[in-house]
Amino acid sequence: MTDTFNHIKLFSFNREFNFLKKLYTNNKLPNKILFSGYKSSGKSTFVYHFINYIFSIKEEFKYDSKKMKINVNNKSFKLVSSLTHPNFYKISLSENKNFIEILQIRETLHYLKKTSFLDLPKIVLIDDCECLNKSSSNSLLKVLEEPPENTFFFLVHNSQKAILDTIKSRCIQINLFMNKLSRKELISYLTDNKYENINFDFKNDYLKPKFYVDYINYCERNNLSLEDTDMKNLFNNIFKNQDYKKDIFIKKYFFLLVQLFFYNNLINNINKDNSNHELFLYFVKRFNDIKKYNLDFESFVIEFKNKAFDEK
């Protein structure tokens, strides 16, 4: 199964969901919708839930609109999850590619010429639409200007990155931003309520739900107590075991942990002068240089340990 339905239950955006549901029921749903919000805010999950609602209306085990929940026994759920639903087509960033390419849009045009299955609407999902390049964007615009009958285009957009204004102008935009309560409920659900046991050093409103899932898995792999493992203990474990050389979690999140380290120092009034802030800016620049020039990551870790962590 793909990442399509990672979350069977929807934890936020009830108002937006019911609004679109009403439009669809009254045959007034716009055929081009741009779903915009921060990365990892639940945009794709929301869209997949709405897609399941549309496809499952006349099926067994249809979407539960009261509980905002997908029934895993539903036929359309299984087909969309495996990307085999005849009325569903997905465009997303291919592995090892920087852009959604024009060939992907052209392949969509071929798909749209096929006959609709059981008179159901066709749904084209364009995930990561901020990754469209100029050529693919222009090709998509031609389709959006005159979309085929009974076809809906759902574009998922990371609002922290730009897309062409011409694409925005062709679509109705729905902004999706998860509130704190819904975010906490989602994290608790994803972590089997282990979030409550996590040390306060790691409870931050800016950290994504996926971080907590990965962090808890890391702690469990390393036999670290969620409650007793504060920022100092975590970094000591990373340096002692040299996890920066081998552990996927550390390689993925190390700079995020560095940012959290400096943030906690600021909150706890460590280094009341400007040295904490200046050191943070220095490591931001160092990290950006590493990404830009493909420099050695391990040297960054060792420098952080020697210049920032060991002083605490």
Side-chain angles (χ1 to χ4, degrees):
M1 186 176 294
T2 69
D3 292 336
T4 302
F5 289 106
N6 272 341
H7 308 150
I8 300 301
K9 182 173 172 53
L10 192 63
F11 285 87
S12 193
F13 316 130
N14 292 39
R15 180 174 60 86
E16 291 84 353
F17 190 95
N18 288 325
F19 171 68
L20 294 178
K21 175 185 168 184
K22 184 177 180 179
L23 290 178
Y24 183 77
T25 302
N26 294 325
N27 296 316
K28 293 182 179 180
L29 183 71
N31 56 8
K32 297 160 290 188
I33 305 178
L34 178 68
F35 296 93
S36 186
Y38 295 139
K39 184 177 177 59
S40 301
S41 62
K43 305 180 299 297
S44 293
T45 297
F46 175 89
V47 173
Y48 281 120
H49 274 249
F50 188 57
I51 289 171
N52 183 251
Y53 163 75
I54 292 174
F55 284 155
S56 69
I57 286 177
K58 296 181 180 180
E59 295 179 339
E60 289 186 298
F61 312 113
K62 67 180 182 179
Y63 188 82
D64 189 336
S65 298
K66 291 183 178 180
K67 296 182 179 180
M68 309 297 286
K69 193 173 182 180
I70 293 169
N71 191 316
V72 295
N73 295 311
N74 174 253
K75 181 180 179 180
S76 284
F77 160 74
K78 295 176 181 179
L79 291 174
V80 174
S81 294
S82 60
L83 301 179
T84 57
H85 196 293
N87 282 35
F88 175 74
Y89 193 88
K90 179 181 178 181
I91 303 171
S92 60
L93 192 63
S94 300
E95 190 174 356
N96 299 322
K97 295 289 186 179
N98 294 321
F99 300 102
I100 294 174
E101 299 175 335
I102 189 170
L103 178 61
Q104 294 174 264
I105 306 300
R106 289 173 177 168
E107 289 173 346
T108 308
L109 298 179
H110 292 303
Y111 162 76
L112 292 174
K113 293 177 182 178
K114 296 179 181 179
T115 305
S116 180
F117 180 68
L118 295 178
D119 293 327
L120 285 171
K122 284 186 177 181
I123 297 177
V124 176
L125 170 63
I126 305 177
D127 210 355
D128 308 312
C129 71
E130 65 276 2
C131 295
L132 290 160
N133 60 21
K134 186 175 181 180
S135 297
S136 57
S137 293
N138 289 333
S139 181
L140 177 63
L141 279 172
K142 296 176 182 177
V143 186
L144 293 180
E145 286 174 356
E146 296 183 9
E149 187 177 353
N150 202 26
T151 299
F152 296 97
F153 288 85
F154 296 159
L155 286 71
V156 179
H157 169 227
N158 175 5
S159 59
Q160 295 163 298
K161 296 185 178 181
I163 59 172
L164 289 182
D165 288 337
T166 45
I167 289 181
K168 279 188 176 182
S169 68
R170 300 294 191 280
C171 302
I172 298 297
Q173 185 168 340
I174 302 291
N175 295 318
L176 299 172
F177 298 99
M178 185 175 288
N179 59 44
K180 287 185 178 181
L181 178 60
S182 297
R183 174 183 171 276
K184 186 175 180 180
E185 289 178 350
L186 174 59
I187 294 172
S188 295
Y189 172 79
L190 293 176
T191 61
D192 295 326
N193 297 316
K194 294 176 183 177
Y195 173 77
E196 299 299 330
N197 300 327
I198 292 175
N199 187 277
F200 184 76
D201 276 2
F202 300 96
K203 291 186 176 179
N204 187 294
D205 290 341
Y206 295 99
L207 297 177
K208 302 293 191 296
K210 184 65 166 61
F211 167 82
Y212 288 104
V213 175
D214 294 341
Y215 172 69
I216 289 172
N217 288 336
Y218 173 82
C219 288
E220 290 178 347
R221 288 198 306 272
N222 289 270
N223 297 316
L224 298 175
S225 164
L226 293 176
E227 186 175 357
D228 297 332
T229 302
D230 57 12
M231 185 64 67
K232 181 178 179 180
N233 291 335
L234 177 66
F235 274 117
N236 278 330
N237 186 78
I238 293 170
F239 298 137
K240 177 184 176 182
N241 297 325
Q242 296 187 333
D243 285 342
Y244 50 86
K245 293 184 177 182
K246 56 190 176 182
D247 193 280
I248 295 175
F249 170 80
I250 300 305
K251 289 184 176 182
K252 180 178 180 181
Y253 291 108
F254 188 82
F255 185 62
L256 178 63
L257 293 170
V258 168
Q259 294 177 74
L260 191 59
F261 169 83
F262 282 107
Y263 176 80
N264 288 347
N265 286 350
L266 178 64
I267 295 299
N268 294 325
N269 294 318
I270 297 175
N271 285 352
K272 294 182 180 179
D273 55 19
N274 290 328
S275 61
N276 188 70
H277 181 66
E278 291 173 356
L279 200 55
F280 170 65
L281 293 179
Y282 169 78
F283 281 108
V284 169
K285 183 179 184 305
R286 282 281 289 117
F287 186 73
N288 288 335
D289 286 345
I290 285 172
K291 291 195 298 182
K292 183 176 181 180
Y293 301 111
N294 196 27
L295 301 177
D296 181 41
F297 170 71
E298 289 183 24
S299 65
F300 171 82
V301 175
I302 299 303
E303 188 175 12
F304 166 76
K305 178 181 183 298
N306 293 336
K307 287 189 174 180
F309 181 76
D310 283 348
E311 293 181 0
K312 307 305 174 201

